[in-house]
Amino acid sequence: MSTQAVSKSEVRKQAQRERVLSAALICFVRYGFHNASMANIAETAQMSAGLIYRYFENKNAIILAIIEAQLEITRERIRELRSTDDLADGMIEYFESQDCGDPESMSAALFLEMSAEATRDADIRRAVERFDTVVRQGLMDWLSRPIDQGGHGLGAETARVRAVAMTLLIEGMKARRAREPDIDRADLRAAVEAIVETITRPEAE
């Protein structure tokens, strides 16, 4: 088989996988992890369930693939936040992007589903723990990086604690998006600005 043929085969395979994952995202938000069936996903993807099984062993494999994909998206979002001149404004934009119509953001509903499923399934729990570790380390690296390199120059222990605080802010915003999507934006901004100011405040001499 030629290299070109192999390349086309891989491109088609990746396209089919992404088609399944996009359909699964819709179904998981609509029905929840437990109630969404492979038949639902197949119908939404407009392909046979048998074809889906060529790319994913079972529904758990699809969930794990979604978590991995979201990890890459979250890494990119962290890089964007690190480069913004107004971190609070970046966080507000992050809040606004969290709906199932945006393929580049995990919806609030999906985040809550994933968190709940991690308490029931060992494989998903391990994947979520890895997700949390990578995200938290990225935040720690940013907060501890010298100011002249785009960081905040915090000591390692302070950066570790404040990375936890920022993780709580991000996750809290996701949960709030699900529960109160119409929250007063002025109140939201004031609250985020207050928290961000604390997280990025220089250490006391």
Side-chain angles (χ1 to χ4, degrees), residues 21 43 53 73 87 94 107 128 134 138 154 180 199 202:
L21 294 177
E43 181 180 4
Y53 283 114
I73 291 171
L87 182 56
Y94 177 80
S107 73
V128 169
V134 172
L154 302 177
E180 192 179 1
I199 291 173

Side-chain angles (χ1 to χ4, degrees), residues 16-27 41 44-45 66 103:
Q16 292 288 69
R17 282 177 56 87
E18 290 177 0
R19 182 175 168 186
V20 173
L21 294 177
S22 294
L25 280 169
I26 294 171
C27 291
I41 296 171
T44 303
I66 286 174

Side-chain angles (χ1 to χ4, degrees), residues 151-171:
H152 290 274
L154 302 177
E157 181 59 19
T158 300
R160 184 186 68 80
V161 172
R162 294 191 188 177
V164 173
M166 192 159 186
T167 301
L168 295 176
L169 172 60
I170 292 170
E171 293 181 350

Side-chain angles (χ1 to χ4, degrees), residues 77-95 139 142-143 150 152 162 166 169-170 173 189 192-201:
R77 287 295 169 93
I78 290 174
R79 284 192 288 268
E80 291 173 1
L81 288 174
R82 282 162 42 174
S83 63
T84 185
D85 294 329
D86 186 338
L87 182 56
D89 191 56
M91 295 299 296
I92 298 297
E93 288 182 8
Y94 177 80
F95 177 88
L139 294 171
W142 170 43
L143 292 168
H152 290 274
R162 294 191 188 177
M166 192 159 186
L169 172 60
I170 292 170
M173 291 180 76
R189 172 170 286 281
V192 170
E193 286 177 346
I195 297 171
V196 165
E197 182 181 358
T198 298
I199 291 173
T200 59
R201 184 176 58 213

Side-chain angles (χ1 to χ4, degrees), residues 29-133:
V29 169
R30 184 178 298 163
Y31 305 113
F33 281 162
H34 277 289
N35 292 328
S37 66
M38 292 296 271
N40 295 143
I41 296 171
E43 181 180 4
T44 303
Q46 296 186 322
M47 63 173 63
S48 69
L51 183 56
I52 290 178
Y53 283 114
R54 290 179 56 183
Y55 303 105
F56 297 97
E57 181 181 0
N58 50 37
K59 189 168 70 174
N60 260 30
I62 295 176
I63 296 171
L64 292 172
I66 286 174
I67 293 173
E68 286 300 313
Q70 287 296 328
L71 177 56
E72 292 306 311
I73 291 171
T74 301
R75 281 172 167 160
E76 180 58 32
R77 287 295 169 93
I78 290 174
R79 284 192 288 268
E80 291 173 1
L81 288 174
R82 282 162 42 174
S83 63
T84 185
D85 294 329
D86 186 338
L87 182 56
D89 191 56
M91 295 299 296
I92 298 297
E93 288 182 8
Y94 177 80
F95 177 88
E96 297 291 358
S97 75
Q98 296 175 76
D99 88 34
C100 59
D102 180 1
E104 293 301 307
S105 179
M106 180 185 296
S107 73
L110 183 63
F111 166 75
L112 295 177
E113 280 288 333
M114 187 179 76
S115 299
E117 194 65 18
T119 67
R120 310 183 189 105
D121 185 282
D123 288 339
I124 293 174
R125 182 177 68 250
R126 284 189 290 269
V128 169
E129 287 173 350
R130 176 176 172 273
F131 184 107
D132 289 343
T133 298

